Amino acid sequence: MGYDLSITRDPIWTGRPGCSLTLEEWFNVIQRDDELCFALSSEPRKYPSCDAEWLAHPKPEEAPHGTFFVWGGGDVTCKYPDEHQMIKMVRISRKLNAIVIGDNGERYDLDENGKLVVHDESTPPPSPRPVTYGIGCNPCEKFTKAVAASKTPDGLMFYQWYLGLITAVNAMRYEDGKSVMTFPLTPEFIREDQIFLAQYCQEHPERLFHQAALALLQLRLARCGS
């Protein structure tokens, strides 16, 4: 047990989408920062180091567990850090577009004068709401009018947007090792989709079209057994 401080880019704590830190990024920081060097392991031939030693600690003899920053699981961690190490970690985190989090969820930062400040964030921030683009942002009422005015191409554009959504979901399912949805886009099948979308939008004119598209997507997923 102990108290650890971590440099992280985990979306659970940052509240923004993104990837975890990579070893390449961490190595780049070590190589470019004159205050850091690679910390050799006890068996460098078998276990090359991914950790760093901070050479510029003002009082290294007083650091409880040395002046090391340890790599692991996409984070950079320091055990029992003193204030000097905390400040250095915040400065490193800014180079990595990351944040510094304590064991209890508190967030460490620097004020405009370079002094350490702590924010209580024991509860992770809510994930940002997904952003929708394109014609799917329009209210269902507009789709209903487009379908009624059969001479306009808007009705087709709405359905093409829905197919784009299916394509994006399939891409994510493929990356996750899940089965993808395959549909026979026959006139009968497309007509069934359009009837569902039209009925949904007539019942919920105040909602956005992307909500109708998601409802249809859930129906198709259920029928696929996914």
Side-chain angles (χ1 to χ4, degrees):
M1 297 294 291
Y3 183 77
D4 293 352
L5 218 60
S6 298
I7 300 172
T8 185
R9 218 158 51 201
D10 189 330
I12 292 177
W13 294 111
T14 63
R16 58 178 183 261
C19 302
S20 299
L21 300 177
T22 67
L23 199 55
E24 182 180 3
E25 290 176 300
W26 173 228
F27 280 3
N28 187 55
V29 168
I30 298 173
Q31 291 166 344
R32 291 176 177 270
D33 191 330
D34 291 337
E35 295 184 354
L36 299 176
C37 71
F38 286 96
L40 294 179
S41 69
S42 57
E43 297 184 70
R45 286 188 176 182
K46 292 186 177 181
Y47 307 104
S49 178
C50 298
D51 306 330
E53 182 176 1
W54 183 29
L55 304 176
H57 193 296
K59 296 181 179 180
E61 68 281 358
E62 296 182 8
H65 285 261
T67 58
F68 300 100
F69 299 125
V70 179
W71 168 266
D75 293 340
V76 177
T77 303
C78 183
K79 185 175 290 292
Y80 289 119
D82 60 21
E83 185 171 342
H84 299 295
Q85 290 165 304
M86 293 176 180
I87 292 173
K88 180 62 177 178
M89 291 183 76
V90 173
R91 290 173 177 164
I92 292 173
S93 72
R94 292 178 176 179
K95 298 177 182 178
L96 294 166
N97 192 28
I99 62 173
V100 178
I101 289 288
D103 276 347
N104 299 317
E106 61 277 19
R107 178 172 175 174
Y108 290 77
D109 206 346
L110 301 178
D111 64 16
E112 62 275 9
N113 298 315
K115 292 185 178 181
L116 191 69
V117 292
V118 184
H119 305 285
D120 183 9
E121 298 190 6
S122 53
T123 302
S127 298
R129 297 182 63 182
V131 180
T132 307
Y133 298 99
I135 201 168
C137 302
N138 284 283
C140 282
E141 183 180 13
K142 187 169 183 178
F143 170 75
T144 303
K145 291 180 179 178
V147 172
S150 57
K151 293 183 179 180
T152 68
D154 288 355
L156 178 61
M157 290 174 61
F158 276 101
Y159 189 69
Q160 291 294 333
W161 188 92
Y162 164 73
L163 293 180
L165 173 65
I166 295 292
T167 302
V169 171
N170 268 342
M172 291 188 293
R173 290 175 66 85
Y174 178 80
E175 290 295 327
D176 292 339
K178 298 179 180 178
S179 60
V180 299
M181 296 174 285
T182 55
F183 301 133
L185 293 180
T186 61
E188 294 77 14
F189 186 91
I190 294 173
R191 179 62 179 164
E192 183 180 333
D193 279 354
Q194 291 175 333
I195 290 174
F196 178 94
L197 292 170
Q199 183 175 351
Y200 183 99
C201 288
Q202 287 172 359
E203 294 175 357
H204 308 285
E206 76 289 350
R207 296 183 183 178
L208 300 181
F209 178 77
H210 79 83
Q211 293 173 283
L214 288 173
L216 178 55
L217 171 61
Q218 291 172 347
L219 172 66
R220 291 304 184 192
L221 280 171
R223 290 185 178 179
C224 289
S226 301

